[in-house]
Amino acid sequence: MTTTRPAPRPADQRREAVLERLRTEEDVWVATAGPEGVPCLVPLSVHWDGAAVWLSTRGANPTGRNLLQTSAVRISFGDTRDVVLIDGSVEAFSLHEVDPADADAFAARCGWDPRRAKRPGSPYLYFRVTPTDVQAFHGEHELTGRHLMRGGVWTVPAG
């Protein structure tokens, strides 16, 4: 039995698909590891500001601690047949340090406001993730050419 696979998407089409998902997805998978190397994978709400991904979680939970300690993260969307992997560098902002415009945009996009989430002794933090590497592929036939960004620079021009 022979199966016919579609032709791999051109790189500019993949880039536009990644940007569309960043604009429209509500949640992403966030993978971190602490200095000991213990992995942690959680879903978090996401806001894309056109240059960076914004996340928010409590600084005391494993994801928050890992982001604070290592400043490294991998973000992925949920579908294993439409893979987008984003590695990035992380900057953390307390509720008092975050620019109100960024916090307002996060709340509007995500439908909740970390500034209003009350947890005694465990405040929420904002994390701005600047993409450094982006991969996108629809299965094995698209593995070649999956790297759309390396070192913070898109390898394919905007379409």
Side-chain angles (χ1 to χ4, degrees):
M1 174 181 215
T2 309
T3 57
T4 305
R5 292 184 181 247
R9 294 171 296 161
D12 62 334
Q13 184 181 3
R14 292 188 206 193
R15 176 181 170 162
E16 288 308 312
V18 168
L19 293 171
E20 180 63 18
R21 289 189 81 177
L22 284 166
R23 286 187 292 268
T24 60
E25 293 282 341
E26 295 179 9
D27 301 305
V28 293
W29 287 103
V30 178
T32 62
E36 312 81 29
V38 178
C40 181
L41 179 66
V42 298
L44 292 178
S45 298
V46 62
H47 166 60
W48 171 248
D49 70 7
V53 173
W54 285 86
L55 309 168
S56 185
T57 191
R58 292 187 318 253
N61 66 24
T63 299
R65 287 192 314 266
N66 292 346
L67 290 169
L68 287 168
Q69 292 172 351
T70 67
S71 298
V73 66
R74 174 167 278 178
I75 296 170
S76 177
F77 298 102
D79 190 342
T80 60
R81 297 291 177 162
D82 187 8
V83 177
V84 174
L85 300 174
I86 301 171
D87 296 326
S89 61
V90 180
E91 296 173 86
F93 300 88
S94 72
L95 297 178
H96 304 292
E97 295 169 328
V98 68
D99 183 313
D102 291 320
D104 290 345
F106 181 93
R109 174 70 184 102
C110 297
W112 69 283
D113 192 336
R115 296 169 294 184
R116 301 198 193 335
K118 303 297 181 197
R119 289 269 180 140
S122 184
Y124 277 82
L125 299 174
Y126 288 90
F127 297 93
R128 181 173 53 205
V129 179
T130 302
T132 56
D133 293 274
V134 175
Q135 298 176 57
F137 54 96
H138 280 172
E140 183 275 331
H141 72 288
E142 284 194 356
L143 287 177
T144 299
R146 71 184 174 272
H147 294 277
L148 305 178
M149 176 185 282
R150 291 181 187 260
V153 177
W154 289 101
T155 60
V156 58

